Amino acid sequence: MIISGKQYKSVWMQDGKVCLVDQNKLPFEFDTVICSTSEEVAKAIQNMTVRGAPAIGAAGAYGLAMSAQSAPEDDFGSHLRRVVDLLLAARPTAVDLRNAVLQVYEHTLSFLPDITQARVEAISAAETFASSSAEECRLIGEHGQSLIEDWMGILTHCNAGALATVDWGTALSVLRIAWSTGRKFFVYVDETRPRLQGSRLTAFELQQEGIPHAIITDSMAGWMMRQNKINLVITGADRICLNGDFANKIGTYSLAVLAHAHAIPFYVAAPISTFDFSCSKGEDIPIEDRNPEEVTRLWGKQLANPGSAALNPAFDVTPGELISGFITSKGIFKPQEAAHRIRD
Ligand code: MRU
């Protein structure tokens, strides 16, 4: 992604450390965070310095690879297992974190007892995850751009952009590539309460690309649909099940119901790491509950009635039958067939 004219990835490894674009400070300040320990990586995932399913996958992969460099020789395997558990506990819903970390872990262990080689391979496995994830996101854009027609109004929710991935984005990769090939369209950006990933991050990315857009509050989407302003909805996902049910940022389910009621196509863009081949249906997806203060307070300021309780499920699950299809690096598939086509 290009920020102020300079090329960035959202997550990368430099001098043996894990580097992250600080997504909590954007769009007001551009800053990077350097993590030197796996504990710091886990904390950055938990507090959403790095966020978005593929991006936390890459951060976890690099975090484990980094810890393999200093893991004691006499306790190498068990040390790595403890780091895996620490990283996976940071956020439960996006399966990319589990898929990426276990990919690095299993690859690394397969070189034991040669610890020197295992350390080298840990880095290489993390780099492979990150670079193939970015390339997949580019391919998602190439496949998905065929869905975009001139003068469409397109709604997106949360941030499924380059910031949420290693590069390119998923939903935003589709928009980015369609725009770069000359298609003209307008993007409605859901604010995405409570953490404002839409109004802060998606709006920021679209502005960097020069793509026309307007921020709307989450509750405005239905009315925009009713007025025929929205012709297409594209979001990302955090976990996709075998039957096509998927988890994504809270509010996605409501949008899918609304899009279905208005006969508006709804596509979900995701790389292979977001598919959970061990999960048969949406009811089995663990939903992260975050601190209710994210709902009642913003940047240290109380917004809600003091003393009232609040709820903060960070994700919801949308049944596959409500959507039109999944945009993947291998093509666009119907909800119920996507996981099978991706796996085989
Ligand atoms: O809580 P977040 O900001 O990590 O949630 C992110 C989302 O729900 C995204 O839509 C999803 O990870 C897809 S990102 C390509």
Side-chain angles (χ1 to χ4, degrees):
M1 83 190 111
I2 308 227
I3 299 181
S4 305
K6 207 175 155 200
Q7 186 74 40
Y8 280 97
K9 290 184 174 159
S10 65
V11 185
W12 69 101
M13 196 166 209
Q14 198 174 316
D15 303 328
K17 310 243 161 68
V18 183
C19 308
L20 311 166
V21 170
D22 189 336
Q23 300 193 40
N24 282 329
K25 289 188 179 162
L26 282 172
F28 310 108
E29 193 183 328
F30 180 79
D31 199 5
T32 54
V33 169
I34 298 175
C35 302
S36 315
T37 64
S38 50
E39 286 78 9
E40 286 171 8
V41 174
K43 191 167 166 222
I45 294 172
Q46 211 290 321
N47 70 20
M48 295 172 68
T49 299
V50 58
R51 48 138 305 274
I56 64 173
Y62 282 133
L64 183 63
M66 175 173 68
S67 69
Q69 308 314 304
S70 54
E73 289 202 6
D74 57 356
D75 187 35
F76 190 81
S78 342
H79 181 91
L80 287 200
R81 184 67 236 185
R82 286 193 293 278
V83 175
V84 166
D85 293 341
L86 169 82
L87 291 166
L88 298 197
R91 293 194 79 186
T93 302
V95 75
D96 307 59
L97 180 59
R98 185 186 82 192
N99 285 339
V101 168
L102 290 184
Q103 202 169 305
V104 173
Y105 176 66
E106 280 156 20
H107 183 79
T108 306
L109 288 200
S110 72
F111 286 86
L112 293 182
D114 186 345
I115 290 183
T116 308
Q117 190 61 27
R119 293 195 210 277
V120 173
E121 294 292 336
I123 301 276
S124 139
E127 291 293 4
T128 300
F129 176 84
S131 59
S132 49
S133 183
E135 173 57 8
E136 264 200 79
C137 286
R138 190 187 68 74
L139 289 169
I140 285 169
E142 295 286 354
H143 289 297
Q145 53 99 13
S146 62
L147 299 167
I148 313 283
E149 291 166 19
D150 269 338
W151 314 119
M152 270 183 161
I154 302 166
L155 176 70
T156 190
H157 189 63
C158 195
N159 171 262
L163 289 163
T165 59
V166 176
D167 206 355
W168 291 93
T170 55
L172 288 204
S173 177
V174 172
L175 303 184
R176 217 171 226 124
I177 292 184
W179 187 256
S180 71
T181 55
R183 235 73 48 79
K184 299 285 173 241
F185 52 86
F186 190 85
V187 185
Y188 293 86
V189 179
D190 256 358
E191 177 185 39
T192 318
R193 283 277 291 145
R195 303 270 313 200
L196 308 179
Q197 291 93 328
S199 57
R200 290 190 301 113
L201 306 176
T202 298
F204 173 77
E205 287 198 46
L206 292 172
Q207 188 180 51
Q208 297 289 320
E209 299 280 336
I211 300 178
H213 63 279
I215 297 161
I216 58 172
T217 65
D218 301 337
S219 53
M220 292 177 190
W223 181 235
M224 298 294 151
M225 291 182 185
R226 177 79 182 162
Q227 294 177 95
N228 295 322
K229 290 190 171 164
I230 292 168
N231 313 104
L232 181 68
V233 182
I234 311 187
T235 70
D238 290 85
R239 188 183 297 235
I240 302 167
C241 305
L242 288 171
N243 70 347
D245 295 352
F246 68 98
N248 192 46
K249 178 52 54 197
I250 189 78
T252 304
Y253 170 63
S254 319
L255 285 183
V257 172
L258 281 168
H260 198 252
H262 292 84
I264 296 168
F266 189 127
Y267 284 90
V268 176
I272 296 170
S273 60
T274 308
F275 284 83
D276 184 350
F277 303 117
S278 66
C279 184
S280 56
K281 56 184 188 320
E283 287 86 336
D284 300 334
I285 299 177
I287 298 294
E288 176 185 13
D289 259 317
R290 294 186 64 87
N291 188 337
E293 285 202 349
E294 291 183 349
V295 174
T296 56
R297 299 176 71 82
L298 192 63
W299 290 304
K301 188 172 172 7
Q302 181 73 19
L303 295 177
N305 181 50
S308 291
L311 305 176
N312 191 13
F315 300 93
D316 58 27
V317 174
T318 300
E321 62 260 23
L322 283 181
I323 63 158
S324 316
F326 289 102
I327 309 168
T328 75
S329 56
K330 294 186 174 178
I332 302 175
F333 302 115
K334 292 266 166 245
Q336 290 75 15
E337 65 169 357
H340 306 277
R341 295 288 292 275
I342 287 290
R343 185 177 51 180
D344 302 334

